[in-house]
Amino acid sequence: MVRGVSRRGLLGGGAAAVGLAGAYGLGRVDDPATATAGAGEERYPFRGEHQAGIVTPAQDRLHFAAFDVTTDSRDELVALLQLWTAAAERMTGGGAAGPVGPVEGAADLPPDDTGEAIGLPASGLTLTFGFGPGLFRDAAGTDRFGLADRQPASLKDLPHFPGDQLVGRRTGGDLCVQACAQDPQVAVHAIRNLARIGFGTVAIRWSQLGFGRTSSTTAAQDTPRNLFGFKDGTANVRAEDDTALGEHVWVGADDDAAGSWLAGGSYLVARRINMTIETWDRQTLAEQEGIVGRAKGTGAPLSGGEETTPPDFAMPGSNDQPVIPVDAHVRVVHPSSNGGAQMLRRGYNFVDGTNELGGLDAGLFFLAFVRDPETDFVPVQLAMARSDALMEYLRTTGSALFAVPAGVGEGEHVGQALFT
Amino acid sequence: MVRGVSRRGLLGGGAAAVGLAGAYGLGRVDDPATATAGAGEERYPFRGEHQAGIVTPAQDRLHFAAFDVTTDSRDELVALLQLWTAAAERMTGGGAAGPVGPVEGAADLPPDDTGEAIGLPASGLTLTFGFGPGLFRDAAGTDRFGLADRQPASLKDLPHFPGDQLVGRRTGGDLCVQACAQDPQVAVHAIRNLARIGFGTVAIRWSQLGFGRTSSTTAAQDTPRNLFGFKDGTANVRAEDDTALGEHVWVGADDDAAGSWLAGGSYLVARRINMTIETWDRQTLAEQEGIVGRAKGTGAPLSGGEETTPPDFAMPGSNDQPVIPVDAHVRVVHPSSNGGAQMLRRGYNFVDGTNELGGLDAGLFFLAFVRDPETDFVPVQLAMARSDALMEYLRTTGSALFAVPAGVGEGEHVGQALFT
Ligand code: HEM
Ligand code: HEM
């Protein structure tokens, strides 16, 4: 069976595969928690209890897209989810988007894969699908697809937070796809082909490239750095922590009557946060560390220890202040300051050229998976807006919330439980 | 001497280096032509006969920035070039931007490195500097820096080509820096720190991230693919071809009287070319291959053979047409169609979110190094505009030309010959 590897262009119009980069054998299907990065051969199963791309070890690169559904036909929407499921399973397995392949088909037809990933291995690609509030009720309140009575109570537009400067073109969306991979060409290829397959049914509303991960989602991963130069993702809900995942990431069967189809899924909060890095760079090291609450070099809390040492918020510092300032980010957003709220953060650094002021249009594309945004995200974001010293250096320019259904079972399509 | 490795944060505020990703020993300084990619440890010497980043094996990722000079002081401009030289030498060697480092300095000072590359190896970083026409005469014709009589004849704004839809915010610039690396975080870190160092003297005019190379510049490199799904960079001027480099890439000592300081340097043409990939994806495989003139799978010319087989433009096809169509890209831009014109292409794929039409703002950030744009680039671009079938799928939204001085000798700063 050759179809699964047609992305590699092995059939190359009948010609030899000579010169095709990476046209070697199939990669391994590893246990998500233990796959090692590097060679590009790692591969994550598309089907499973939960969607991949959540507890999967955070890959290095991201392409994220939000789509508007442009049809009013429920059948067309379901047909698209079926096509997307098949394409996603093929691509995450290292194959082409379509069953034929980029160059294996008839010359007088458009290829069913766009070809830029020929020769590239699976590269740890995961594709994670989500449903926005607009799928249940559009802006005018219309129930386009007969789904209104299944809208989970927490799936609604996020409140406007103080400091938000949202740009319409970067906000909202009826559907989303998060593509993460070790190779950006593979992530871009996946989104581009899903958009191509959806032509006439969906249109891309916005999309975001992330060039570098800012979190680790397994204990084995190194902690990367954000564009403020600090380690990011140290205190995260991780793949190994079943208790925290059950309490703060996976939606429970009884969480929501209307949203019972979402059991085993999660909510995905997406926030495009511009960082005023030029201003940040003029702050002293002590100021920067006080704002974050951690040492810039090691990532250890200012109360001491190593990166993973829990912060001691009570430890007194000089001049009557605690050593971790009262407005330090890690204090303000810490579970202990927010009734135990926790989230699985999975964001990415971005640079999108230049802003009007001659600075870099750069920042953090914040992604977090939570069991319920009302309890695990909104209060934390409100606390930040109210009293976080970091806020002075942030402008949130995009925002969206999606319900991410549970994993796709054999023979099923993405989000099938919502439509049955 | 620890300074050279301070980017790695080994001094980490006195704390142990535990948990620092990649905080291992120094990388190798390899011969540019033979360094192997992958581990991130490859390193290219900053000083040499030519600037690195031209014949250097094309790295996977790009961050390109064009700057406006905001001072009228020649001394400040020279001082900046001196600071940039020192910072570039440190960063390409795997070190921090400043002599102290991101976390090694006094707590009551802003760090002289922004820190997001702590722990990351050199990652093959090259920094290539260029001078735009505006450095010699500004838009009003003023000779701001006493350089007007040294402006090379070919260093002027590129003509407006048919089909150009240039956006001011993506065009021109007094200075440019091309940062290429295997790790985008390293390339972004470099540009960001050069901008920080230049604060008050220069401001970023535009910047462009490229996520994937579209050329190979040495014989040993695999040919990557562009977003039309085709191999790109097959027929390129390469590091091994001294004759072609001498004739078509390096400026000769006698090329230009006013521009004699540019001997051993090159010209860099930058064109941000949007590709209408959604339209492209609806063309048949045969149409796509006819437009390019090569097979999509193997990259071989339609006249047959392998990827590196020279195209046979005379070979007849069916219905009285040559097998490589008369308007095929490879025919139109081929040296044999353009009086022998050749260039060293070194472009990158980009995706910058979404355009107004719900498509991806995606394309090719075309970069080419030529000995003289008047002979090696402009005629080819004009031929393309006139008769290339590819043009229907392209919109050029940014354009710039820079003179790239020769390599930096010991004790010198970037472009020193221009100022002496
Ligand atoms: C550009 C914006 C942001 C930056 C630069 C940033 C940076 C950081 C840094 C450096 C840390 C400490 C290292 C770690 O434990 O990961 C951290 C922790 C954290 N951040 Fe942020 N953050 C940003 C936005 C947000 C937002 C919007 C939220 C949620 C509303 C958030 C929630 C958290 C949480 C929950 C922690 C872990 C706190 C703990 O348990 O110790 N952050 N962030
Ligand atoms: C998005 C725009 C472009 C795309 C997608 C594109 C694509 C390609 C492809 C697929 C090839 C064949 C493989 C190879 O030899 O590299 C090629 C070759 C070439 N292209 Fe382009 N190209 C673009 C723009 C340009 C521009 C603007 C120029 C210069 C004005 C140019 C000059 C060349 C040259 C000189 C060759 C080699 C021809 C030969 O010697 O056989 N290309 N291009």
Side-chain angles (χ1 to χ4, degrees), chain B residues 1-175:
Chain B
M1 182 68 174
V2 158
R3 297 192 164 176
V5 295
S6 54
R7 168 160 115 195
R8 299 156 189 277
L10 289 177
L11 300 182
V18 173
L20 286 173
Y24 22 69
L26 290 174
R28 311 161 271 128
V29 176
D30 276 316
D31 178 273
T34 58
T36 53
E41 285 294 309
E42 69 265 41
R43 196 187 290 199
Y44 301 108
F46 180 67
R47 296 179 194 268
E49 185 186 355
H50 306 292
Q51 287 195 63
I54 304 174
V55 296
T56 309
Q59 300 95 325
D60 286 345
R61 324 280 170 228
L62 169 85
H63 192 190
F64 190 99
F67 294 85
D68 289 329
V69 181
T70 55
T71 179
D72 286 334
S73 155
R74 180 176 166 129
D75 289 347
E76 280 177 34
L77 175 60
V78 171
L80 174 65
L81 293 172
Q82 287 165 341
L83 289 172
W84 272 5
T85 301
E89 187 163 22
R90 274 190 292 263
M91 290 191 287
T92 54
V100 178
V103 294
E104 292 79 358
D108 59 351
L109 287 177
D112 67 7
D113 180 281
T114 54
E116 69 270 28
I118 293 174
L120 301 179
S123 307
L125 176 68
T126 56
L127 293 166
T128 313
F129 295 84
F131 298 149
L135 207 66
F136 300 84
R137 280 185 192 85
D138 69 13
T142 310
D143 179 8
R144 284 193 291 169
F145 307 110
L147 297 172
D149 60 353
R150 315 210 54 190
Q151 180 165 10
S154 296
L155 184 64
K156 53 187 190 222
D157 288 339
L158 291 171
H160 179 92
F161 297 103
D164 279 8
Q165 300 181 18
L166 302 186
V167 178
R169 273 184 54 200
R170 302 192 183 280
T171 295
D174 295 335
L175 297 171

Side-chain angles (χ1 to χ4, degrees), chain A residues 49-116:
Chain A
E49 184 186 357
H50 306 292
Q51 286 195 63
I54 304 173
V55 295
T56 308
Q59 299 96 325
D60 287 345
R61 324 284 169 223
L62 169 83
H63 192 190
F64 190 98
F67 294 86
D68 288 328
V69 181
T70 54
T71 180
D72 284 335
S73 154
R74 180 176 167 133
D75 289 347
E76 280 178 34
L77 175 60
V78 170
L80 174 65
L81 293 173
Q82 287 165 340
L83 288 172
W84 272 6
T85 300
E89 185 163 23
R90 273 189 293 263
M91 292 191 286
T92 54
V100 178
V103 295
E104 292 80 359
D108 59 351
L109 288 177
D112 67 6
D113 180 282
T114 55
E116 69 270 27

Side-chain angles (χ1 to χ4, degrees), chain A residues 15 107 109-110 114-115 169 184-185 192 199 206-207 225 227 277 281-286 296 298 349 353-354, chain B residues 15 61 107-110 114-115 169 185 192 199 206-207 225 227 229 277 281-286 296 298 349 354:
Chain A
L109 288 177
T114 55
R169 273 184 52 199
Q185 184 106 342
R192 185 247 194 111
F199 182 77
W206 52 270
S207 100
R225 287 180 185 268
L227 293 181
I277 57 175
D281 289 348
R282 290 196 284 278
Q283 311 311 312
T284 67
L285 182 60
K296 198 170 184 178
T298 59
N349 295 322
T354 314
Chain B
R61 324 280 170 228
D108 59 351
L109 287 177
T114 54
R169 273 184 54 200
Q185 183 107 343
R192 187 249 193 105
F199 184 78
W206 53 270
S207 100
R225 288 180 185 266
L227 293 182
I277 56 174
D281 290 347
R282 290 196 285 276
Q283 310 310 310
T284 68
L285 181 61
K296 198 169 184 179
T298 61
N349 295 322
T354 314

Side-chain angles (χ1 to χ4, degrees), chain B residues 62-365:
Chain B
L62 169 85
H63 192 190
F64 190 99
F67 294 85
D68 289 329
V69 181
T70 55
T71 179
D72 286 334
S73 155
R74 180 176 166 129
D75 289 347
E76 280 177 34
L77 175 60
V78 171
L80 174 65
L81 293 172
Q82 287 165 341
L83 289 172
W84 272 5
T85 301
E89 187 163 22
R90 274 190 292 263
M91 290 191 287
T92 54
V100 178
V103 294
E104 292 79 358
D108 59 351
L109 287 177
D112 67 7
D113 180 281
T114 54
E116 69 270 28
I118 293 174
L120 301 179
S123 307
L125 176 68
T126 56
L127 293 166
T128 313
F129 295 84
F131 298 149
L135 207 66
F136 300 84
R137 280 185 192 85
D138 69 13
T142 310
D143 179 8
R144 284 193 291 169
F145 307 110
L147 297 172
D149 60 353
R150 315 210 54 190
Q151 180 165 10
S154 296
L155 184 64
K156 53 187 190 222
D157 288 339
L158 291 171
H160 179 92
F161 297 103
D164 279 8
Q165 300 181 18
L166 302 186
V167 178
R169 273 184 54 200
R170 302 192 183 280
T171 295
D174 295 335
L175 297 171
C176 79
V177 186
Q178 171 195 276
C180 299
Q182 302 302 84
D183 183 338
Q185 183 107 343
V186 169
V188 164
H189 169 266
I191 294 291
R192 187 249 193 105
N193 278 274
L194 295 176
R196 183 183 54 76
I197 290 168
F199 184 78
T201 308
V202 292
I204 293 188
R205 182 178 171 89
W206 53 270
S207 100
Q208 179 69 52
L209 236 71
F211 66 80
R213 67 180 171 96
T214 59
S215 71
S216 37
T217 55
T218 67
Q221 285 192 296
D222 287 319
T223 314
R225 288 180 185 266
N226 61 36
L227 293 182
F228 284 155
F230 277 76
K231 290 198 179 189
D232 202 343
T234 299
N236 206 9
V237 174
R238 292 236 171 68
E240 294 84 2
D241 190 348
D242 283 329
T243 311
L245 289 172
E247 282 175 19
H248 297 287
V249 175
W250 306 130
V251 174
D254 304 323
D255 283 10
D256 184 300
S260 60
W261 59 271
L262 190 57
S266 191
Y267 289 88
L268 172 54
V269 180
R271 308 268 296 166
R272 184 178 187 273
I273 309 180
N274 275 89
M275 298 163 41
T276 56
I277 56 174
E278 293 82 6
T279 320
W280 178 263
D281 290 347
R282 290 196 285 276
Q283 310 310 310
T284 68
L285 181 61
E287 278 161 349
Q288 294 181 1
E289 294 187 333
I291 290 167
V292 172
R294 288 183 175 271
K296 198 169 184 179
T298 61
L302 292 184
S303 46
E306 296 176 356
E307 185 190 342
T308 53
T309 307
D312 177 353
F313 295 119
M315 182 182 285
S318 52
N319 56 35
D320 279 346
Q321 295 291 315
V323 66
I324 299 178
V326 290
D327 58 357
H329 180 58
V330 292
R331 178 192 292 268
V332 174
V333 299
H334 195 267
S336 63
S337 310
N338 295 282
Q342 288 190 54
M343 51 189 98
L344 187 155
R345 288 174 293 138
R346 217 175 184 287
Y348 285 83
N349 295 322
F350 72 84
V351 172
D352 288 345
T354 314
N355 60 30
E356 321 72 50
L357 307 172
L360 290 176
D361 181 356
L364 177 66
F365 187 63

Side-chain angles (χ1 to χ4, degrees), chain A residues 226 231 233-235 275 329 333-335 345 366 381 384 394:
Chain A
N226 61 36
K231 290 198 180 190
T234 299
M275 297 164 39
H329 181 59
V333 299
H334 195 267
R345 289 174 293 138
F366 177 92
Q381 180 62 65
M384 261 186 87
L394 308 180

Side-chain angles (χ1 to χ4, degrees), chain A residues 9-18, chain B residues 298 305:
Chain A
L10 289 177
L11 300 182
V18 172
Chain B
T298 61

